[in-house]
Amino acid sequence: MSNNLIHNVSSSKFWDERYISNNTGWDIGNVTPVFKDWCDSLAEPSKIFVPGCGNGYDPLYFADQGHDVLAVDISEYPINQIKKEAKKQNITIKALKCDIFDLNKNLFNQFDYVVEYTCFCAISPKKRDNYIDMMNKLLKAKGEFIALLFPLNKKTDDEGPPFHVNLRKTLNQFSSKFDLIKSFKHPLSIIPRQDNEIYVHLRKK
């Protein structure tokens, strides 16, 4: 894995260029069925944080269902798209262009849920412990981390993004700050990723 690549994925320019060139293979073009099902099961309005939100289909859906949502991405292009779509649909949502590692401390201990999909695998693997620490700080006491971890089947030494996710190692990394509630291959995973991702539900210690 080249140091140049690691540097690139940590820069907004790298991701801006992906959006400009429409090189967005992670984008499924609609709300994620797994997260729609999860959101529909919530009993009351909640505060939800979505890191690396991309074009924001999931956070827009959460906000449309009455939740207080903050969607964050390092690139301005998807953030502008979310704001445009929110205005078009009359949805109240907060969308912020920011590196998730530079978030304001005022956001700490503010969220009931973090919803993760294709952000964890997009950052440098060297920053995964920092990511876990940041998500922990954002959540309220006993707040919950809801994720689809992807890709499980990619070779470890292949360059990314996306970078390989080793499930056992990843859950061990999270275990210092989170308790595992459940993890399983979700029946609502999109067909191309059914054998390459896993649903994980964690709770802040």
Side-chain angles (χ1 to χ4, degrees):
M1 191 181 300
S2 69
N3 289 331
N4 184 52
L5 181 64
I6 293 299
H7 172 73
N8 282 346
V9 298
S10 299
S11 74
S12 59
K13 182 179 178 181
F14 175 86
W15 296 104
D16 289 345
E17 291 174 350
R18 295 288 292 262
Y19 282 98
I20 292 169
S21 63
N22 200 31
N23 184 10
T24 54
W26 63 86
D27 189 320
I28 67 173
N30 210 330
V31 61
T32 307
V34 170
F35 296 141
K36 180 182 184 301
D37 180 71
W38 167 79
C39 179
D40 291 347
S41 73
L42 293 179
E44 56 187 34
S46 302
K47 292 194 70 173
I48 302 173
F49 179 85
V50 182
C53 61
N55 283 315
Y57 312 109
D58 295 334
L60 282 165
Y61 182 80
F62 303 155
D64 194 40
Q65 301 307 301
H67 301 287
D68 184 352
V69 180
L70 173 58
V72 173
D73 202 279
I74 197 171
S75 173
E76 66 179 324
Y77 289 89
I79 293 301
N80 289 341
Q81 179 62 26
I82 290 171
K83 291 178 179 178
K84 179 180 177 181
E85 194 63 26
K87 184 176 181 180
K88 178 181 175 182
Q89 297 187 39
N90 196 28
I91 295 173
T92 300
I93 186 172
K94 292 183 283 292
L96 175 67
K97 178 197 176 298
C98 184
D99 186 325
I100 58 170
F101 300 108
D102 295 330
L103 291 167
N104 193 299
K105 292 181 180 179
N106 290 338
L107 295 173
F108 291 178
N109 304 301
Q110 294 297 310
F111 297 92
D112 301 297
Y113 299 100
V114 167
V115 178
E116 154 66 39
Y117 198 20
T118 69
C119 178
F120 186 75
C121 67
I123 61 173
S124 163
K126 293 179 180 180
K127 289 189 172 184
R128 286 180 173 176
D129 285 332
N130 302 99
Y131 171 97
I132 292 166
D133 183 59
M134 178 59 76
M135 298 307 111
N136 179 271
K137 287 176 177 176
L138 291 168
L139 287 166
K140 298 176 182 177
K142 303 299 181 181
E144 298 180 7
F145 181 87
I146 309 296
L148 283 169
L149 294 180
F150 164 91
L152 303 179
N153 300 332
K154 190 172 186 178
K155 292 181 180 179
T156 307
D157 57 354
D158 282 351
E159 292 187 340
F163 299 101
H164 169 72
V165 174
N166 178 299
L167 181 61
R168 186 172 58 126
K169 180 180 178 181
T170 300
L171 291 180
N172 185 58
Q173 285 179 282
F174 273 93
S175 67
S176 64
K177 296 182 181 293
F178 291 87
D179 291 318
L180 177 64
I181 297 176
K182 55 188 173 184
S183 73
F184 59 93
K185 289 192 175 179
H186 203 292
L188 294 178
S189 282
I190 62 171
I191 291 174
R193 298 180 186 170
Q194 282 182 347
D195 293 320
N196 203 22
E197 67 183 13
I198 193 159
Y199 177 81
V200 173
H201 185 175
L202 305 167
R203 179 178 290 128
K204 179 176 177 176
K205 287 184 175 179

